[in-house]
């Protein structure tokens, strides 16, 4: 039996980053992964989709070239090269992760593992490993609507569509969350006619309503049809295409498409872990943990998507860091209630902190102000005036939330995230010098509205 200070099951961002941080602090780690390291984020999520987003940005620039005096441009679009470039970038990053795991304190076992008890596991090959502390970081898997036809050829998940052979003429996306909207935006730029069906009344239900509504309008202007309050009931074969049947306000409707993307969320990956044998409590949302990511079993932790708290790669990374600090008894200042998130549509959407609806539900006293990108010189010079910045402050003027739609807001939101962490007021932000002309001036202009 091999013994280490820590066993980590799963080598996604939460798993491998935690292993590296633990080793830097002198802890021995055994980490298990039966797929390529990097998890969903690197292999079939964040990174490959951002590669697609860059291709979409280039294509949109070419289409708008006449606006910038570049006329009569002719081009061809080789989708095979798009896939090849994506694969090359992902492979390079996987190689980088594998290099980082080549640490004398880290044993990387390229197999799956299941629990024997709370502090020992068995690999697929039958080897037994034990530890003082166990961290489960197995991530999540794509959900699938339990409807007839959900497994027909041409019905894809976010993993499979990344390796599709050609751009579909008609794409139907089921689900208007982050994943669904990013692919809808990308394939719209690639030339697909895109229809999005969403059961909820609004897109991006976790985002501020002002941002969701404006993003829906912006995507509509690009030709993406988004149908809210759409209850998808069945997918049928229709000659060589697919027919998606759905109900809408008492009517029976359908969308005919070459490809259907099932983007209805993700579920904690707890299958095959054998959690019951260790007595670990879990639900349909994931493994239950406390604020230190510790389960009901002492010295057993769950981080990342598998605990269902926040399904973002950077959340998993910092949850893992919090676990290691807890194990070491180190002081930790990580604010897991302040996690920025972004949607890489065109235009981008980003948020951090409280939404206005959350403030109302909590009975919290707040003020909110807005500033528009159409008054930002850099945005106008870029030809991207579509967008808004909305800041929410408490009764003392302390910033508690920010919600943005517009160019590069995924990058700009980090400034507000840092300021919220330091309990900065809108008055303080309004007096902080920003370079001109920059997109980030939008947050200062918004603060000055208070």
């Amino acid at each position: 039996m091999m013994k280490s200070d820590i066993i980590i099951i799963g080598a996604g961002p939460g798993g491998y980053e935690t292993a590296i941080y633990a080793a830097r602090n002198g802890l021995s780690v055994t980490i298990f992964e039966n797929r390529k390291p990097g998890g969903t984020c690197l292999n079939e999520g964040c990174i490959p989709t951002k590669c697609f987003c860059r291709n979409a940005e280039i294509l949109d620039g070419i289409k708008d070239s006449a606006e910038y005096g570049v006329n009569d441009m002719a081009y061809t679009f080789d989708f095979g090269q798009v896939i090849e470039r994506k694969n090359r970038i992902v492979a390079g990053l996987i190689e980088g992760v594998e290099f980082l795991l080549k640490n004398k304190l880290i044993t990387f076992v390229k197999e799956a593992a299941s629990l024997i008890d709370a502090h020992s596991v068995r690999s697929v090959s039958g080897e037994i490993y034990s530890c003082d502390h166990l961290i489960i970081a197995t991530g999540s898997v794509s959900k699938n609507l339990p409807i007839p036809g959900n497994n027909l050829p041409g019905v894809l998940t976010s993993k499979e569509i990344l390796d599709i052979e050609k751009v579909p003429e008609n794409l139907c996306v089921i689900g208007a969350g982050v994943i669904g909207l990013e692919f809808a935006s990308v394939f719209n730029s690639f030339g697909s006619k895109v229809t999005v069906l969403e059961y909820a009344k609004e897109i991006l239900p976790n985002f501020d309503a002002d941002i969701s509504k404006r993003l829906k309008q912006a995507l509509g202007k690009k030709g993406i049809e988004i149908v809210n309050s759409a209850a998808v009931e069945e997918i049928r074969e229709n000659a060589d295409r697919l027919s998606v049947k759905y109900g809408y306000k008492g009517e029976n409707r359908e969308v005919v498409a070459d490809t259907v993307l099932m983007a209805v969320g993700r579920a904690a990956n707890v299958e095959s872990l054998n959690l019951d044998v260790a007595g670990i409590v879990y639900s349909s949302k994931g493994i239950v943990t406390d604020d230190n990511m510790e389960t009901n079993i002492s010295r057993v932790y769950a981080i990342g998507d598998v605990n269902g708290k926040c399904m973002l790669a950077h959340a998993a990374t910092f949850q893992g860091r919090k676990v290691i600090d807890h194990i070491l008894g180190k002081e930790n200042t990580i604010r897991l209630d302040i996690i920025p998130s972004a949607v890489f549509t065109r235009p981008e959407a980003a948020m951090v902190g409280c939404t206005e609806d959350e403030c109302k539900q909590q009975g919290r006293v707040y003020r909110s102000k807005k500033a528009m990108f159409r008054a930002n010189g850099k945005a106008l010079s870029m030809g991207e005036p579509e967008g808004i910045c909305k800041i929410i402050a408490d009764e003392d003027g302390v910033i508690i939330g920010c919600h943005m739609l517009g160019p590069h807001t995924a990058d700009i939101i980090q400034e507000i995230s840092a300021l919220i962490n330091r309990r900065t007021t809108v008055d303080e932000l309004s007096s902080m010098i920003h370079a001109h002309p920059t997109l980030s001036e939008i947050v200062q202009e918004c603060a000055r509205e208070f």
Side-chain angles (χ1 to χ4, degrees):
M1 179 186 293
M2 294 184 63
K3 174 76 182 290
S4 58
D5 294 322
I6 296 173
I7 282 177
I8 302 174
I9 305 177
Y16 80 77
E17 291 273 13
T18 302
I20 294 165
Y21 183 63
R24 285 175 181 164
N25 282 275
L27 299 172
S28 60
V29 182
T30 303
I31 183 167
F32 294 84
E33 179 58 71
N34 64 333
R35 301 181 302 168
K36 294 175 181 177
T40 296
C41 175
L42 176 49
N43 290 283
E44 57 198 61
C46 316
I47 302 303
T49 55
K50 300 306 106 47
C51 292
F52 275 18
C53 287
R54 176 57 176 161
N55 284 104
E57 183 180 18
I58 295 293
L59 276 174
D60 287 346
I62 292 172
K63 293 170 187 175
D64 295 337
S65 62
E67 177 73 18
Y68 304 94
V70 183
N71 299 301
D72 302 321
M73 178 177 284
Y75 68 93
T76 59
F77 180 49
D78 187 337
F79 189 63
Q81 283 187 253
V82 174
I83 300 296
E84 182 184 342
R85 175 178 174 273
K86 178 263 297 182
N87 291 342
R88 186 172 65 251
I89 291 169
V90 169
L93 289 170
I94 289 172
E95 187 178 331
V97 173
E98 291 176 332
F99 176 79
L100 291 172
L101 292 175
K102 290 179 180 178
N103 183 301
K104 63 181 180 180
L105 289 176
I106 299 175
T107 301
F108 182 20
V109 182
K110 297 181 180 181
E111 299 180 34
S114 58
L115 302 183
I116 298 173
D117 55 44
H119 296 98
S120 58
V121 304
R122 178 182 286 109
S123 69
V124 170
S125 60
E127 294 291 327
I128 296 175
Y129 300 78
S130 66
C131 62
D132 295 321
H133 305 272
L134 174 69
I135 301 174
I136 300 169
T138 47
S140 62
V141 294
S142 295
K143 287 182 181 179
N144 206 345
L145 277 183
I147 58 172
N150 63 5
N151 59 352
L152 286 172
V155 180
L156 310 178
T157 67
S158 57
K159 174 184 177 180
E160 292 141 5
I161 199 168
L162 287 167
D163 291 308
I164 196 170
E165 292 183 356
K166 63 179 182 178
V167 176
E169 182 178 342
N170 291 274
L171 172 66
C172 178
V173 179
I174 302 175
V178 174
I179 295 171
L181 291 181
E182 286 188 354
F183 278 111
S185 181
V186 162
F187 277 93
N188 169 257
S189 296
F190 287 174
S192 298
K193 183 181 185 305
V194 180
T195 302
V196 180
L197 303 177
E198 169 57 51
Y199 182 76
K201 292 181 179 179
E202 296 291 345
I203 67 172
L204 295 179
N206 294 327
F207 272 63
D208 191 271
D210 273 338
I211 303 303
S212 299
K213 290 174 183 176
R214 290 172 184 270
L215 178 58
K216 182 179 179 180
Q217 292 170 355
L219 295 177
K221 290 177 183 177
K222 291 178 173 289
I224 299 172
E225 182 181 2
I226 300 176
V227 183
N228 288 98
S229 303
V232 178
E233 299 166 349
E234 182 182 14
I235 304 172
R236 292 180 182 174
E237 290 181 313
N238 185 341
D240 58 345
R241 305 174 86 188
L242 296 165
S243 177
V244 182
K245 309 282 186 179
Y246 68 97
Y248 176 76
K249 296 182 178 180
E251 300 178 12
N252 293 319
R253 294 186 175 185
E254 71 171 345
V255 175
V256 178
D258 309 293
T259 301
V260 175
L261 171 62
M262 191 72 73
V264 292
R266 299 184 65 82
N269 183 18
V270 296
E271 297 297 326
S272 78
L273 283 173
N274 210 16
L275 296 176
D276 293 328
V277 75
I280 297 170
V281 174
Y282 63 99
S283 70
S284 58
K285 295 182 179 179
I287 297 173
V288 178
T289 69
D290 62 15
D291 290 342
N292 290 311
M293 308 304 126
E294 192 168 18
T295 69
N296 62 302
I297 305 298
S298 178
R299 297 181 287 118
V300 177
Y301 303 83
I303 63 172
D305 288 7
V306 76
N307 67 29
K309 290 180 181 289
C310 180
M311 290 193 174
L312 295 171
H314 44 289
T317 297
F318 279 88
Q319 287 177 9
R321 183 174 285 256
K322 192 173 182 72
V323 166
I324 299 304
D325 287 347
H326 181 254
I327 289 170
L328 294 170
K330 292 176 62 175
E331 184 180 355
N332 186 290
T333 60
I334 296 171
R335 292 281 305 275
L336 291 176
D337 60 324
I338 304 172
I339 301 177
S341 61
V343 189
F344 293 87
T345 46
R346 286 181 59 80
E348 292 178 355
M351 66 167 286
V352 66
C354 298
T355 67
E356 196 163 355
D357 284 342
E358 287 172 343
C359 289
K360 290 175 181 177
Q361 290 166 8
Q362 296 166 11
R364 191 172 188 177
V365 178
Y366 74 95
R367 291 180 292 157
S368 69
K369 297 293 181 180
K370 303 172 187 176
M372 302 298 174
F373 272 95
R374 61 174 176 263
N376 180 278
K378 179 67 178 294
L380 290 173
S381 67
M382 292 169 61
E384 298 191 49
E386 182 82 50
I388 181 176
C389 173
K390 177 179 182 179
I391 290 178
I392 300 174
D394 68 12
E395 56 190 327
D396 297 317
V398 176
I399 302 168
I400 58 174
C402 182
H403 309 275
M404 307 183 75
L405 177 72
H408 298 288
T409 51
D411 301 305
I412 302 169
I413 201 68
Q414 188 55 47
E415 176 181 352
I416 301 297
S417 180
L419 296 179
I420 294 176
N421 270 278
R422 292 295 174 258
R423 291 189 53 79
T424 306
T425 66
V426 286
D427 286 343
E428 289 169 331
L429 172 55
S430 67
S431 65
M432 294 177 181
I433 299 174
H434 286 62
H436 175 77
T438 59
L439 294 172
S440 64
E441 287 177 287
I442 190 81
V443 298
Q444 185 175 59
E445 288 303 316
C446 190
R448 286 174 176 169
E449 293 294 320
F450 282 85

